[in-house]
């Protein structure tokens, strides 16, 4: 699932970094409960074992409620799902017939359903009908059917007739009003299908569905398979019949109903692995279909690249890409009917290049899921990494192959650099995390699962060799096609396909423990004719961390060094606390980097001489190595092992590069210094001058207008560079240019690239709101609320929410509960304010006063992330305040316990860094001329 949209306001990018972890500060998913594991941090159950979580909670009848995995002895073999959906109404209705196999007959059938009004239940078996009684017995949606008689062993059909309300918080089957017309869309992953129909709402139960939908005449109906028949049902209703699905879990079923634009795209032609064309369509709300052309033109290329890599044809009968106006995730990989936030699909000639890249990246991720997650599904949510890590890794690989030269080559690597901060927390999850409560499912869809998992896959791919790794992946997909698998199945497949049995144990050291390894490397030239490198490993921890330094990994370490023989690369599997490696050189190397090409998921540390040698030979390092070096220097600064002066020297060297990704590398650390480490106006002025010296020349060269024929890298670099000059340096002339361009844009309604790069519109609006009078803000707000363009609405609302003005800030907070804002816009406003020093305390106070109402606008599976509204604080007193407020509330917010613990830890680590470094950093920048 493409779960996160991060709006990067501080860097001036209005497109945001679309990652696969949702709108949160680490927004994950969803809700089931207890699965037995063999201890915290240990490996969960082995392949072939079945775990059904026991619970202290009991039903009124005294039975233990299965709040974790359901027993598999009596299980579904297929569904017949008949729904009646009119988005104009408040409720929908349906009948579901579930074919069951009774291995051990019982009068009680446990399944899932939530907020369903069940009218009738019966079991049809062997010519007899047994009446049943439905009861929802747990707030997570565990339901119980009690039969009047004991069923027989063997097959039976459970028939349930029911109705339910359209959900009000972007999960289950929910309603969206756009342009005055009502539509129904779905979001079922992980445990929200139970809001739409009763069933066995777990990934293990993967069976075919036969679907019919009765809808109003004039409404279109989309689901996972092609429509096979359409019948007049009388009284203005039409019955839509669809082809039977392949075996699917409940969370991959999807519906879209309403007066939709359905645009036929170019069929994806047959190729070497597929002998049939794939019908391709784009779907949007009425009047928006014409903006699907770009997405439809570029989807087929991604499908073909992924088919070629997997060696397996796209597994399903058709492909629809669906633009949803209000959507909690970035996108969702429903089989044959992928849903997206509409701003990812509705693109035209004025769309910023960053947004088009986001479309390609997210689409490649969701299409990769059609194999990893859809074709082969995890048995349980502890292996959701087999979905999301692979889709992250493969999606990035596919975009780089499908769109060469467009800057996607380092996406997995850069994701690794970003997520290492979260992985350094004492509260970090491991990739394959035991699921001990529904809170664990809710936090399983985070950067650890997506970015760390993807990076670890890339590391082992580099170590095994691309073709060996590919053979392992293909072996796995063929072994478990249209079935389910777990981590042990995958490791067996990788072993078999690659022919490298040692990979299994090495891989486990990254799956079954949290944390970032820190590899210390020191060149030993005591005998110059036989130089060596001394290695040591431990867990990296920042200042103030309470985590133990325990941990031992089997790390594929690759060392690059320069000597009289030129550049040399040496790789080894480093699995001991310490080791010494002979270098294939006859003289002491001039430089050495212990993470060649940045292919390893670890930080590294050098002694003072090692860093200076590396600084002196930066030209010998490729762009990834320079970024890995910058990441390790940043980590050393945050652990108290590097001086501000050394870090600043590294900044100067990085920004002098001609590599876009290297140039922007220091920006996150510069933001930390600006926000938390400067005392006194002299230090702050010196810091602004320092940043101006770094980025001013780049800003002067790029300007704010797009240039005909300019390099793509310049288009991508401009928002970051202009953003830091406008928001950190606060360059007055630049801000005047941006504000004037924003005023013209709001007045004219379309960007003029010759005056303002479309990628700068969000930044320009923000500057214009901050520097202008109240009239501009009022006009912008009115225009945003009247607009149907989701992207413009988000840019405008974000600019208004980011205003430092107290009165405007209060006005925007009042809108959070206003129905004129879509649910995803309400959370956007809150979290933008939480990232602003001028508004952070006020939004925190507002959340405390309005928590119950606010969480009603957030899907159940993400309500725990509300704690992150306080994550920008940086004092022990604030940490204590946040902890005290949420102490008696997080248990009722899915994912709340871990989200709160990580929020508290981030605040405390910030406070520890400030205490250790504020005087030093302030002194350094105050002393600058």
């Amino acid at each position: 699932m493409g779960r996160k949209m991060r709006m990067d306001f501080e860097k001036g990018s209005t497109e945001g970094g679309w990652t696969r972890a949702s709108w949160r500060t680490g927004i994950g998913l969803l809700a089931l409960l207890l699965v037995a594991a063999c201890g915290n941090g240990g490996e969960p159950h082995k392949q072939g074992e079945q775990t059904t979580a026991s619970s202290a909670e009991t039903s009124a009848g005294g039975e233990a409620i299965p709040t974790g995995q359901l027993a598999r002895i009596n299980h579904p073999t297929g569904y017949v799902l008949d729904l009646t959906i009119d988005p104009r109404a408040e409720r929908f209705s349906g009948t579901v017939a579930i074919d069951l196999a009774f291995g051990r007959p019982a009068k009680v059938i446990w399944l899932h359903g939530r907020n369903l009004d069940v009218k009738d239940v019966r079991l049809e078996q062997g010519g007899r009908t047994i009446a049943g009684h439905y009861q929802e017995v747990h707030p997570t949606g565990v339901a119980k059917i009690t039969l009047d008689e004991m069923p027989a062993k063997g097959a039976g059909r459970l028939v349930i007739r029911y109705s339910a309300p359209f959900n009000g918080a972007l999960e289950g089957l929910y309603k969206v009003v756009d342009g005055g017309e009502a539509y129904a869309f779905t979001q079922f992953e992980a445990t929200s299908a139970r809001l739409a129909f009763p069933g066995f709402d777990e990934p293990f139960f993967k069976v075919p569905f036969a679907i019919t939908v009765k809808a109003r005449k004039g409404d279109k109906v989309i689901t996972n398979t092609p429509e096979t028949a359409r019948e007049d049902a009388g009284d203005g209703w039409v019955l839509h019949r669809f082809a039977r699905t392949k075996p699917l879990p409940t969370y991959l079923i999807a519906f879209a109903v309403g007066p939709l634009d359905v645009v036929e795209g170019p069929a994806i032609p047959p190729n070497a692995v597929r002998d049939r064309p794939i019908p391709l369509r784009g779907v949007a709300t009425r009047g928006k279909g014409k903006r699907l052309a770009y997405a439809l033109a570029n989807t087929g290329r991604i499908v073909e690249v992924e088919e070629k890599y997997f060696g397996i044809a796209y597994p399903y009968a058709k492909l629809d890409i669906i633009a949803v106006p209000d959507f909690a995730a970035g996108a969702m990989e429903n089989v044959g009917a992928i849903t997206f936030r509409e701003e990812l699909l509705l693109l035209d000639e004025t769309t910023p290049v960053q947004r088009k890249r986001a479309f390609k990246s997210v689409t490649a991720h969701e299409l990769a899921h059609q194999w990893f997650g859809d074709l082969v599904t995890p048995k349980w949510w502890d292996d959701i990494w087999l979905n999301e890590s692979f889709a992250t890794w493969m999606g990035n690989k596919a975009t780089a192959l499908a769109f060469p030269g467009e800057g996607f080559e380092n996406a997995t690597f850069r994701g690794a650099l970003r997520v290492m901060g979260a992985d350094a927390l004492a509260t970090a999850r491991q990739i394959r995390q035991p699921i001990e409560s529904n809170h664990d499912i809710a936090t399983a869809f985070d950067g650890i699962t997506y970015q760390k998992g993807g990076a670890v896959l890339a590391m082992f791919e580099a170590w095994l060799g691309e073709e060996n790794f590919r053979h392992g992946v293909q072996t796995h997909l063929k072994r478990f096609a249209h079935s389910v698998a777990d981590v042990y199945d995958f490791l067996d497949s990788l072993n078999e396909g690659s022919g490298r049995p040692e990979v299994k144990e090495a891989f486990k050291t990254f799956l079954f423990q949290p944390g970032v390894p820190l590899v210390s490397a020191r060149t030993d030239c005591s005998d110059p004719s036989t130089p060596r490198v001394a290695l040591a490993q431990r867990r990296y921890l920042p200042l103030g961390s309470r985590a133990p330094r325990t941990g031992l990994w089997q790390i594929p370490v690759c060392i690059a060094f320069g000597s009289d023989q030129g550049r040399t690369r040496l790789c080894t599997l480093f699995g001991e606390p310490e080791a010494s490696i002979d270098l294939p050189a006859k003289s002491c190397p001039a430089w050495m980097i212990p993470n060649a090409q940045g292919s390893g998921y670890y930080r590294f540390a050098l002694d003072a001489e090692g860093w200076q040698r590396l600084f002196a030979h930066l030209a010998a390092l490729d762009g990834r190595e320079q970024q890995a070096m910058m990441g390790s220097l940043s980590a050393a600064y945050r652990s108290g092992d590097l001086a501000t002066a050394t870090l600043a020297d590294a900044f100067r060297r990085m920004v002098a590069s001609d590599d876009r990704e290297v140039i922007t590398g220091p920006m996150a650390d510069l933001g930390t210094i600006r926000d938390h480490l400067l005392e006194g106006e002299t230090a702050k002025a010196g810091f602004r001058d320092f940043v101006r010296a770094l980025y001013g020349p780049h800003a002067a060269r790029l300007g704010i207008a797009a240039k005909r024929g300019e390099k793509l890298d310049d288009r991508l670099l401009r928002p970051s560079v202009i953003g830091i000059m406008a928001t950190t340096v606060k360059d007055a002339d630049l801000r005047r240019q941006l504000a004037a361009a924003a005023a013209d844009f709001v007045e004219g309604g379309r960007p003029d690239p010759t005056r303002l790069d479309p990628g700068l519109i969000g930044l320009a609006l923000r500057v214009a709101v901050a520097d202008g009078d109240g009239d501009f803000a009022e006009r912008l707000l009115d225009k945003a609320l009247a607009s149907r363009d989701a992207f413009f609405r988000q840019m405008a609302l974000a600019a208004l929410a980011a205003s430092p003005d107290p009165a405007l800030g209060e006005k925007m907070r009042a809108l959070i509960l206003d129905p004129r804002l879509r649910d995803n816009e309400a959370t956007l406003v809150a979290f933008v304010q939480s990232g602003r020093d001028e508004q952070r305390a006020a939004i925190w106070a507002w959340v405390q006063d309005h928590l119950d109402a606010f969480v009603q606008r957030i899907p159940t599976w993400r309500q725990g992330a509300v704690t992150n509204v306080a994550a920008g604080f940086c004092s022990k007193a604030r940490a204590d305040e946040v902890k005290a407020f949420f102490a008696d509330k997080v248990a009722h917010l899915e994912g709340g316990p871990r989200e709160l613990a990580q929020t508290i830890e981030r605040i405390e680590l910030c406070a520890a860094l400030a205490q250790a470094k504020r005087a030093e950093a302030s002194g350094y920048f105050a002393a600058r001329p």
Side-chain angles (χ1 to χ4, degrees), residues 825-848:
E825 294 166 347
T827 55
L828 173 70
V829 169
F831 281 91
V832 168
Q833 288 206 341
S834 75
R836 298 294 300 155
D837 287 345
E838 301 91 343
Q839 301 290 354
R840 185 176 297 121
I843 188 63
W844 166 233
W846 184 93
V847 167
Q848 293 176 82

mmCIF file of all heavy atoms in Angstrom, residues 825-848:
data_model
loop_
_atom_site.group_PDB
_atom_site.id
_atom_site.type_symbol
_atom_site.label_atom_id
_atom_site.label_comp_id
_atom_site.label_asym_id
_atom_site.label_seq_id
_atom_site.Cartn_x
_atom_site.Cartn_y
_atom_site.Cartn_z
ATOM 1 N N GLU A 825 -7.615 16.362 4.316
ATOM 2 C CA GLU A 825 -7.215 17.766 4.440
ATOM 3 C C GLU A 825 -7.227 18.213 5.896
ATOM 4 O O GLU A 825 -6.400 19.035 6.310
ATOM 5 C CB GLU A 825 -8.142 18.649 3.603
ATOM 6 C CG GLU A 825 -8.020 18.400 2.107
ATOM 7 C CD GLU A 825 -9.151 19.017 1.300
ATOM 8 O OE1 GLU A 825 -10.169 19.443 1.902
ATOM 9 O OE2 GLU A 825 -9.019 19.066 0.068
ATOM 10 N N ALA A 826 -8.166 17.684 6.671
ATOM 11 C CA ALA A 826 -8.218 18.036 8.094
ATOM 12 C C ALA A 826 -6.938 17.614 8.796
ATOM 13 O O ALA A 826 -6.349 18.379 9.579
ATOM 14 C CB ALA A 826 -9.434 17.388 8.750
ATOM 15 N N THR A 827 -6.491 16.391 8.529
ATOM 16 C CA THR A 827 -5.246 15.943 9.158
ATOM 17 C C THR A 827 -4.047 16.707 8.610
ATOM 18 O O THR A 827 -3.086 16.977 9.341
ATOM 19 C CB THR A 827 -5.056 14.430 8.942
ATOM 20 O OG1 THR A 827 -5.106 14.136 7.548
ATOM 21 C CG2 THR A 827 -6.128 13.640 9.659
ATOM 22 N N LEU A 828 -4.091 17.080 7.335
ATOM 23 C CA LEU A 828 -3.010 17.879 6.753
ATOM 24 C C LEU A 828 -2.840 19.187 7.513
ATOM 25 O O LEU A 828 -1.725 19.565 7.900
ATOM 26 C CB LEU A 828 -3.307 18.148 5.282
ATOM 27 C CG LEU A 828 -2.362 19.117 4.566
ATOM 28 C CD1 LEU A 828 -0.994 18.490 4.391
ATOM 29 C CD2 LEU A 828 -2.927 19.535 3.217
ATOM 30 N N VAL A 829 -3.925 19.896 7.750
ATOM 31 C CA VAL A 829 -3.847 21.174 8.459
ATOM 32 C C VAL A 829 -3.238 20.979 9.843
ATOM 33 O O VAL A 829 -2.357 21.740 10.267
ATOM 34 C CB VAL A 829 -5.246 21.814 8.559
ATOM 35 C CG1 VAL A 829 -5.238 22.990 9.526
ATOM 36 C CG2 VAL A 829 -5.708 22.275 7.177
ATOM 37 N N ALA A 830 -3.687 19.967 10.558
ATOM 38 C CA ALA A 830 -3.181 19.741 11.918
ATOM 39 C C ALA A 830 -1.687 19.456 11.917
ATOM 40 O O ALA A 830 -0.938 20.021 12.725
ATOM 41 C CB ALA A 830 -3.950 18.593 12.574
ATOM 42 N N PHE A 831 -1.245 18.595 11.002
ATOM 43 C CA PHE A 831 0.160 18.213 11.039
ATOM 44 C C PHE A 831 1.077 19.271 10.443
ATOM 45 O O PHE A 831 2.238 19.375 10.838
ATOM 46 C CB PHE A 831 0.357 16.844 10.381
ATOM 47 C CG PHE A 831 -0.026 15.717 11.298
ATOM 48 C CD1 PHE A 831 -1.302 15.208 11.303
ATOM 49 C CD2 PHE A 831 0.885 15.212 12.205
ATOM 50 C CE1 PHE A 831 -1.672 14.202 12.169
ATOM 51 C CE2 PHE A 831 0.533 14.212 13.080
ATOM 52 C CZ PHE A 831 -0.752 13.686 13.064
ATOM 53 N N VAL A 832 0.586 20.085 9.515
ATOM 54 C CA VAL A 832 1.386 21.232 9.074
ATOM 55 C C VAL A 832 1.615 22.182 10.240
ATOM 56 O O VAL A 832 2.738 22.649 10.476
ATOM 57 C CB VAL A 832 0.701 21.962 7.905
ATOM 58 C CG1 VAL A 832 1.376 23.310 7.650
ATOM 59 C CG2 VAL A 832 0.765 21.114 6.648
ATOM 60 N N GLN A 833 0.576 22.471 10.996
ATOM 61 C CA GLN A 833 0.754 23.370 12.144
ATOM 62 C C GLN A 833 1.694 22.771 13.186
ATOM 63 O O GLN A 833 2.471 23.494 13.812
ATOM 64 C CB GLN A 833 -0.597 23.697 12.769
ATOM 65 C CG GLN A 833 -1.439 24.629 11.911
ATOM 66 C CD GLN A 833 -2.439 25.441 12.718
ATOM 67 O OE1 GLN A 833 -2.775 25.109 13.852
ATOM 68 N NE2 GLN A 833 -2.921 26.529 12.122
ATOM 69 N N SER A 834 1.651 21.470 13.349
ATOM 70 C CA SER A 834 2.548 20.859 14.340
ATOM 71 C C SER A 834 4.009 20.979 13.941
ATOM 72 O O SER A 834 4.897 20.880 14.786
ATOM 73 C CB SER A 834 2.186 19.383 14.538
ATOM 74 O OG SER A 834 2.617 18.587 13.444
ATOM 75 N N GLY A 835 4.266 21.216 12.643
ATOM 76 C CA GLY A 835 5.640 21.396 12.184
ATOM 77 C C GLY A 835 6.117 22.832 12.194
ATOM 78 O O GLY A 835 7.246 23.105 11.791
ATOM 79 N N ARG A 836 5.283 23.766 12.657
ATOM 80 C CA ARG A 836 5.640 25.176 12.683
ATOM 81 C C ARG A 836 5.863 25.632 14.116
ATOM 82 O O ARG A 836 4.993 25.485 14.979
ATOM 83 C CB ARG A 836 4.513 26.018 12.063
ATOM 84 C CG ARG A 836 4.228 25.719 10.609
ATOM 85 C CD ARG A 836 5.381 26.109 9.730
ATOM 86 N NE ARG A 836 5.674 27.544 9.836
ATOM 87 C CZ ARG A 836 6.847 28.089 9.594
ATOM 88 N NH1 ARG A 836 7.871 27.339 9.244
ATOM 89 N NH2 ARG A 836 7.011 29.389 9.696
ATOM 90 N N ASP A 837 7.017 26.226 14.387
ATOM 91 C CA ASP A 837 7.311 26.705 15.737
ATOM 92 C C ASP A 837 6.219 27.641 16.247
ATOM 93 O O ASP A 837 5.825 27.584 17.411
ATOM 94 C CB ASP A 837 8.656 27.443 15.758
ATOM 95 C CG ASP A 837 9.836 26.491 15.638
ATOM 96 O OD1 ASP A 837 9.642 25.283 15.829
ATOM 97 O OD2 ASP A 837 10.947 26.964 15.330
ATOM 98 N N GLU A 838 5.717 28.510 15.353
ATOM 99 C CA GLU A 838 4.752 29.526 15.776
ATOM 100 C C GLU A 838 3.378 28.945 16.105
ATOM 101 O O GLU A 838 2.591 29.581 16.813
ATOM 102 C CB GLU A 838 4.585 30.589 14.678
ATOM 103 C CG GLU A 838 5.873 31.308 14.299
ATOM 104 C CD GLU A 838 6.602 30.619 13.151
ATOM 105 O OE1 GLU A 838 6.304 29.427 12.868
ATOM 106 O OE2 GLU A 838 7.464 31.274 12.535
ATOM 107 N N GLN A 839 3.067 27.759 15.584
ATOM 108 C CA GLN A 839 1.733 27.184 15.761
ATOM 109 C C GLN A 839 1.740 25.888 16.578
ATOM 110 O O GLN A 839 0.673 25.386 16.940
ATOM 111 C CB GLN A 839 1.097 26.891 14.386
ATOM 112 C CG GLN A 839 0.950 28.094 13.480
ATOM 113 C CD GLN A 839 -0.109 29.075 13.966
ATOM 114 O OE1 GLN A 839 -0.832 28.822 14.927
ATOM 115 N NE2 GLN A 839 -0.197 30.230 13.310
ATOM 116 N N ARG A 840 2.910 25.357 16.876
ATOM 117 C CA ARG A 840 2.978 24.015 17.486
ATOM 118 C C ARG A 840 2.266 23.960 18.825
ATOM 119 O O ARG A 840 1.485 23.035 19.093
ATOM 120 C CB ARG A 840 4.435 23.582 17.629
ATOM 121 C CG ARG A 840 4.598 22.144 18.136
ATOM 122 C CD ARG A 840 6.057 21.733 18.161
ATOM 123 N NE ARG A 840 6.612 21.744 16.821
ATOM 124 C CZ ARG A 840 7.651 22.488 16.445
ATOM 125 N NH1 ARG A 840 8.236 23.298 17.305
ATOM 126 N NH2 ARG A 840 8.090 22.443 15.207
ATOM 127 N N ALA A 841 2.521 24.900 19.688
ATOM 128 C CA ALA A 841 1.882 24.871 21.009
ATOM 129 C C ALA A 841 0.366 25.024 20.890
ATOM 130 O O ALA A 841 -0.401 24.372 21.618
ATOM 131 C CB ALA A 841 2.456 25.971 21.904
ATOM 132 N N ALA A 842 -0.075 25.856 19.935
ATOM 133 C CA ALA A 842 -1.513 26.092 19.783
ATOM 134 C C ALA A 842 -2.224 24.856 19.244
ATOM 135 O O ALA A 842 -3.327 24.522 19.703
ATOM 136 C CB ALA A 842 -1.747 27.293 18.871
ATOM 137 N N ILE A 843 -1.617 24.169 18.255
ATOM 138 C CA ILE A 843 -2.293 22.972 17.724
ATOM 139 C C ILE A 843 -2.267 21.854 18.758
ATOM 140 O O ILE A 843 -3.208 21.057 18.860
ATOM 141 C CB ILE A 843 -1.682 22.518 16.372
ATOM 142 C CG1 ILE A 843 -2.529 21.388 15.753
ATOM 143 C CG2 ILE A 843 -0.255 22.059 16.530
ATOM 144 C CD1 ILE A 843 -3.939 21.777 15.392
ATOM 145 N N TRP A 844 -1.220 21.795 19.555
ATOM 146 C CA TRP A 844 -1.162 20.798 20.626
ATOM 147 C C TRP A 844 -2.280 21.058 21.639
ATOM 148 O O TRP A 844 -2.990 20.114 22.052
ATOM 149 C CB TRP A 844 0.204 20.819 21.284
ATOM 150 C CG TRP A 844 0.329 20.089 22.590
ATOM 151 C CD1 TRP A 844 0.814 20.589 23.758
ATOM 152 C CD2 TRP A 844 -0.010 18.726 22.865
ATOM 153 N NE1 TRP A 844 0.785 19.642 24.746
ATOM 154 C CE2 TRP A 844 0.276 18.479 24.223
ATOM 155 C CE3 TRP A 844 -0.557 17.702 22.100
ATOM 156 C CZ2 TRP A 844 0.056 17.244 24.824
ATOM 157 C CZ3 TRP A 844 -0.778 16.464 22.699
ATOM 158 C CH2 TRP A 844 -0.476 16.246 24.037
ATOM 159 N N ALA A 845 -2.479 22.308 21.992
ATOM 160 C CA ALA A 845 -3.575 22.641 22.911
ATOM 161 C C ALA A 845 -4.928 22.310 22.278
ATOM 162 O O ALA A 845 -5.838 21.793 22.950
ATOM 163 C CB ALA A 845 -3.509 24.112 23.305
ATOM 164 N N TRP A 846 -5.068 22.585 20.996
ATOM 165 C CA TRP A 846 -6.324 22.297 20.299
ATOM 166 C C TRP A 846 -6.613 20.803 20.298
ATOM 167 O O TRP A 846 -7.744 20.373 20.533
ATOM 168 C CB TRP A 846 -6.251 22.830 18.874
ATOM 169 C CG TRP A 846 -7.536 22.668 18.105
ATOM 170 C CD1 TRP A 846 -8.541 23.575 17.989
ATOM 171 C CD2 TRP A 846 -7.933 21.522 17.345
ATOM 172 N NE1 TRP A 846 -9.554 23.058 17.212
ATOM 173 C CE2 TRP A 846 -9.208 21.803 16.807
ATOM 174 C CE3 TRP A 846 -7.340 20.286 17.082
ATOM 175 C CZ2 TRP A 846 -9.894 20.889 16.010
ATOM 176 C CZ3 TRP A 846 -8.039 19.369 16.290
ATOM 177 C CH2 TRP A 846 -9.279 19.672 15.769
ATOM 178 N N VAL A 847 -5.597 19.996 20.006
ATOM 179 C CA VAL A 847 -5.794 18.544 19.982
ATOM 180 C C VAL A 847 -6.220 18.040 21.355
ATOM 181 O O VAL A 847 -7.110 17.178 21.470
ATOM 182 C CB VAL A 847 -4.514 17.831 19.504
ATOM 183 C CG1 VAL A 847 -4.578 16.327 19.779
ATOM 184 C CG2 VAL A 847 -4.300 18.076 18.011
ATOM 185 N N GLN A 848 -5.630 18.579 22.403
ATOM 186 C CA GLN A 848 -6.035 18.158 23.745
ATOM 187 C C GLN A 848 -7.513 18.480 24.008
ATOM 188 O O GLN A 848 -8.228 17.698 24.635
ATOM 189 C CB GLN A 848 -5.153 18.832 24.795
ATOM 190 C CG GLN A 848 -3.704 18.358 24.754
ATOM 191 C CD GLN A 848 -2.845 19.115 25.737
ATOM 192 O OE1 GLN A 848 -2.811 18.800 26.932
ATOM 193 N NE2 GLN A 848 -2.155 20.141 25.252
#
